[in-house]
Amino acid sequence: MPKKMFVIFGVSNILWMVFAVSQAIKVDMFPDKSKIFAQIGDSVSLTCSATGCESPSFSWRTQMDSPLNGKVRNEGTTSTLIMDPVSFEDEHQYLCTVICGAAKLEKAIRVEIYSFSKDPEIHLSSPPEVGKPVTVTCSVPEVYPFERLEIELLKGNHPMKVQDFLEPSEKKAQETKSLDVTFSPTDEDIGTALVCQATLHIYDDDSPPKVRKTTKELEVYISPKDTAISVNPSTRLQEGDSVAMACTSAGLPAPRILWSKKLDNGNLQLLSENATLTLISMRAEDSGIYVCEGNNPVGKDRKEVKLIVQEKMFTVEISPGPQIAAQVGDSVVLTCDVRDCESPSFSWRTQIDSPLNGKVRREGSKSTLTLSPVSFENEHFYLCTVICGQKKLEKGIQVELYSFPSDPEIEMSGPLVNGNPVTVSCKVPNVYPSDRLEIELFKGESIMMNKIFLEDVSKKALETKSLEMTFIPTVEDTGNVLVCLAQLPIDEMEFEPKQRQSTQILYVNVAPRDTAILVSPSSILEEGSSVNMTCSSNGLPAPKILWSRQLSNGDLQPISENATLSFMSTKIEDSGIYVCEGINQAGISRKEVNLIIQVAPKDIQLTAFPSERVKEGDTVIISCICGNVPPTLIILKKKAETGYIVLKSTGGAYTIHRAQLEDAGVYQCESKNEVGSQLRSLTLDVKGRESNKDYFSPEFLVLYCASALILTAIGMIIYFARKANMTGSYSLVEAQRTKV
Ligand SMILES: *[C@@H]1O[C@H](CO)[C@@H](O)[C@H](O)[C@H]1NC(C)=O
Ligand SMILES: *[C@@H]1O[C@H](CO)[C@@H](O)[C@H](O)[C@H]1NC(C)=O
Ligand SMILES: *[C@@H]1O[C@H](CO)[C@@H](O)[C@H](O)[C@H]1NC(C)=O
C-alpha cells in the first residue's frame, strides 16, 4: 500500500513544477495537498486561487474527463468546487485550469473516498459462560475501502486476533467486515473487557490512520443452579394457614426468581417475581406443585415443592364439659362453641328428648343454654348439634345435680344438765342426693355416732336428713366440742364443699342444790330487832337467788333477788314463811325459814271470882288475861307438894265448882314465849263450914309481877331453887318442856 501512494505523489509534483516554472502567475489549490481523503456523505470544497492575475478564468475537470458532480463557484481570483455530499462518483483527480490572458496554468488535486463512520460492534454468539465456547464477532459496518481495514480483537490488554482484508474491492461499495474469535471464558475473565479496534489505513500526507475502538465489558455468566426452596412452616397445611416459601438460586448474574404454580394442564401460572412467595388464608384448592425458577441470561434452574392444604374440619367444644355438677337452684350456662365454620346452625336437645327447661341464646359462633335456676328437670345428658355446610357434629354434656347448701344444724332437746339425758340432733337441710350423705357426730376426738342414708329410697327431691342420739352429759363434758360432720362424698362429681361441719362447745349445767339459809341472829326475834337472812345455793351456772314470802294461800310473793334479806326493825307482821330459791337453767332448789317476831308477855292480871276468900262449896273462877299474848300461851298452875300442877283452863279461865278445902292454895298464871315471860300468883282461901283453920302460909303470899323479863326469870329461878328442893342449876328451857 505505501508503494502505491508514492506513485500518486510523484505525478502531482511533476505537474506542479511544470506550471510553476513556465508562468510568473501563480495558482494555489486549497487544500494544499496533492491528495485528500473524503468520507462519503461529507462536504468537500476544493478552492483554486490565482495570484498575479487580474481576472483569471477558471475551469474544473477530472483527469478522466468524467462529469463533475460538484458545483463550481467563482469569486474574483478564486474558484471553489463544492461536492456535497461526497459520493463514490467524486473520486477523481481534479484539475483546476486558470487562464490569465495568454497564460494557462493548471493545478491538480486527487480526491479519494472512504467510509469509516461507525464504531466497530462486538457481538457474542451467546452469553459467555465459564467453560462454554463463545464466539465473539467484531464487525465494522459500512467500511470502504476495506482492503485498508485492519481489525484487532483484544481481551483486556491481550490481543486475541488481528485481521486485514487485502483482497481489493470489486466494486465501489460500503461493506461490513468482521472478525470472529471463539474462546471459552474462565473465571479470570470475569470483569475484563473485550476491545475491538478497527484501523483504516488511509493517509493523506502525514495524518495518522483512522482508528475506531469499541470496548465491551466481558460479562461472564454462570447459569442458575442449586435452586433451593425453604418452606415455613411446612408443606402440609391446614385451610386458613399461611405459608412463606423462600427460593434461592445461585448464578451470575444473580438469577431472577420466578414463582409459579403448575396448572392441571402442566402450564405454569406466574405468581410472583419475588424470592419469597407468601400465601395467606390458604384453601384446599391451593394444594399443588409450586415451581421456583431462577433464571438469568444464560439459563434457568427450577425446583418444585408440593403443598398439601388439608381441608379443615370444623370443631365443636362444649363447656364446661363433658359433665358438670350443678347445685340445685344455681344458674348453669352450657356453651357450645364452634370453630372454623362460617355459619353454623345449632340445636340443643336432651338425650331422651325431654324438654330443655332452659333458655337458648345464639352469640356468633356460640350457642348457650342457660338453666336458671337449675332443677331436677335439668338432670340430663344435653346434646348440642352443629351443622356446618354438609357436615354435622354433636357434643354432649351431662348435667348432674347436687344440693348441699348449708352446714349441719346442731340442736339439743334441752339445756345440758349434769346427769340428765339429752338428745342431740344434727340436721343437714336440703341435701341431694341424700342416699350419698353420711353424718357423723363427734365429742371431741371420739366418734359418738354415724349414720348413712343408703337404704333410703332416693327420690328426686331436696331432703333434710338428721342423726339423733341421746347421751348423759357430765360436768367433765364442759368445754368439750360437739362436732357434726356431714359428708356428701360423690367422687365422680366435681363440686365444693363435699363436707360441712358445725361445732358446738358443751356447757353442762348443774341444777341448784345445797340451798341453805343462814339467819342472823335467829329466826325468832323480838319485835324491833334486826335480822339478816342470807341464802346460798350451789350449781352451775351459779344459781340466781330469789327471796319470796309465802302468802296465806300458799302463793309466793317475790321480794328480793339479793342473797341477803335484811330487816332493820322487825314488826310482828313480818312473821311468816320466807322462801329462798336458787335458780339456774338446770332447775330450782328451795329452802324456807319461818321467821317469828314476838313481843314479851306483859300486863298479866290473875283474878279469883267472886273473891280470893271463899267458903267451902262456893264456885270460884280463876282467870288470867295478858295484854299482848294469845290465851294459848297462858298456863294456869296450882302449887302442890311435888311442884306445880297445870290446870285445864279454857281461854285462861279455870272454874272450881263447889270449892273444897283442898282447893285452897297458891295459883299461878304464867305467860311466856321465846322472848320473855310473866308470872302472876294469887292465893285462894277456902274456909271450912265447921272449922276456921287458916292453913295459908304467909311465905306464898309474895306476889310476883315484875315487868322485866330477866328479873322475873331470876326471881323464878331463885324461887324454884328454893322451893322445889332441886339441886344445883335450873334450866328454864327444860322447865318449860316439862310443863308445856
Ligand atoms: C416483591 O416484594 C416487594 C417488597 O419485598 C414488594 O414491594 C413487591 O410488591 C413484591 N412484588 C410482588 C410481585 O409480589
Ligand atoms: C346485817 O347485815 C348488815 C350488813 O352486812 C350488818 O351491818 C348488820 O349488823 C347485820 N345485822 C345482824 C343482826 O346481823
Ligand atoms: C340488793 O342489794 C343492793 C346492794 O347490795 C341494794 O342496793 C338493793 O336495794 C337490794 N335490793 C333489795 C330488793 O333488797
Side-chain angles (χ1 to χ4, degrees), residues 180-213:
D180 288 344
V181 178
T182 298
F183 78 105
S184 291
T186 64
D187 285 342
E188 286 86 63
D189 294 330
I190 296 169
T192 60
L194 288 175
V195 180
C196 181
Q197 183 171 307
T199 307
L200 195 62
H201 290 282
I202 53 175
Y203 311 93
D204 46 358
D205 302 337
D206 52 359
S207 72
K210 299 204 180 298
V211 175
R212 284 186 174 272
K213 197 198 262 186

Side-chain angles (χ1 to χ4, degrees), residues 520-521 530-532 566:
S520 171
S530 73
V531 66
N532 289 340
S566 296

Side-chain angles (χ1 to χ4, degrees), residues 219-289:
E219 288 184 49
V220 179
Y221 293 89
I222 298 172
S223 184
K225 58 181 179 181
D226 304 332
T227 302
I229 296 173
S230 72
V231 181
N232 184 27
S234 162
T235 58
R236 298 190 74 88
L237 300 150
Q238 291 239 307
E239 271 192 335
D241 284 356
S242 296
V243 70
M245 297 188 286
C247 182
T248 57
S249 185
L252 203 72
R256 202 161 63 107
I257 301 289
L258 298 179
W259 272 104
S260 312
K261 189 181 178 202
K262 210 175 231 176
L263 301 179
D264 290 341
N265 59 14
N267 291 346
L268 292 181
Q269 179 194 15
L270 181 65
L271 297 176
S272 167
E273 298 187 3
N274 275 3
T276 299
L277 176 66
T278 302
L279 302 171
I280 60 167
S281 303
M282 297 190 77
R283 309 183 67 121
E285 306 89 87
D286 294 326
S287 296
I289 294 172

Side-chain angles (χ1 to χ4, degrees), residues 596-725:
I596 299 164
I597 312 298
Q598 291 174 332
V599 289
K602 57 182 179 186
D603 302 336
I604 289 181
Q605 289 177 347
L606 184 61
T607 51
F609 182 80
S611 161
E612 290 174 15
R613 294 170 192 274
V614 292
K615 288 179 199 133
E616 202 174 12
D618 286 352
T619 295
V620 183
I621 297 168
I622 296 171
S623 129
C624 180
I625 52 172
C626 193
N628 61 341
V629 167
T632 47
L633 284 177
I634 292 169
I635 303 155
L636 274 177
K637 293 176 266 188
K638 182 169 186 279
K639 189 171 190 281
E641 292 288 319
T642 54
Y644 280 88
I645 297 160
V646 176
L647 303 174
K648 270 195 176 169
S649 61
T650 308
Y654 179 69
T655 305
I656 305 167
H657 300 282
R658 278 173 291 145
Q660 304 295 310
L661 287 178
E662 311 90 89
D663 290 326
V666 175
Y667 286 82
Q668 193 181 48
C669 170
E670 184 186 9
S671 174
K672 70 181 178 81
N673 56 21
E674 287 78 356
V675 296
S677 67
Q678 237 180 6
L679 284 177
R680 286 284 184 275
S681 294
L682 64 77
T683 304
L684 186 66
D685 185 14
V686 181
K687 280 193 174 119
R689 292 181 192 266
E690 56 273 354
S691 70
N692 269 334
K693 190 192 164 199
D694 189 1
Y695 53 86
F696 182 76
S697 164
E699 290 170 291
F700 296 103
L701 291 180
V702 180
L703 280 177
Y704 301 94
C705 197
S707 59
L709 167 69
I710 296 170
L711 286 178
T712 315
I714 293 169
M716 282 179 72
I717 290 163
I718 295 167
Y719 171 79
F720 282 115
R722 281 190 193 157
K723 293 300 167 190
N725 273 334

